[in-house]
Amino acid sequence: AALGPDLVRLYEGGVTRGGNGVGLASCADFVAAAFGVTASEAVAEGYLGARVDGNEYHAWFHWPALPPTAGAS
């Protein structure tokens, strides 16, 4: 409720309910580094995000896949 409809702020850091406010911001940093973008670009491009659907909270992130090379085990 403190964030209203703008759950993107969860990935900016500084949002906490008694912790240190790093949580999802560190996730954004890891995902952004994997895709070679900034954390704000990762959120804007949908690599990670959050939403509330009724009484359910959903958070997601995408991780790049590396297809196996021919002959790899």
Side-chain angles (χ1 to χ4, degrees):
L3 296 175
D6 187 16
L7 297 180
V8 168
R9 286 190 46 223
L10 290 170
Y11 295 100
E12 296 172 358
V15 178
T16 183
R17 293 193 57 149
N20 58 22
V22 175
L24 291 177
S26 63
C27 179
D29 288 340
F30 280 112
V31 171
F35 284 98
V37 297
T38 67
S40 60
E41 289 171 331
V43 172
E45 295 177 21
Y47 294 128
L48 64 159
R51 69 181 174 95
V52 174
D53 184 14
N55 290 329
E56 296 179 346
Y57 167 78
H58 301 270
W60 68 88
F61 70 93
H62 297 275
W63 198 255
L66 180 61
T69 58
S73 55

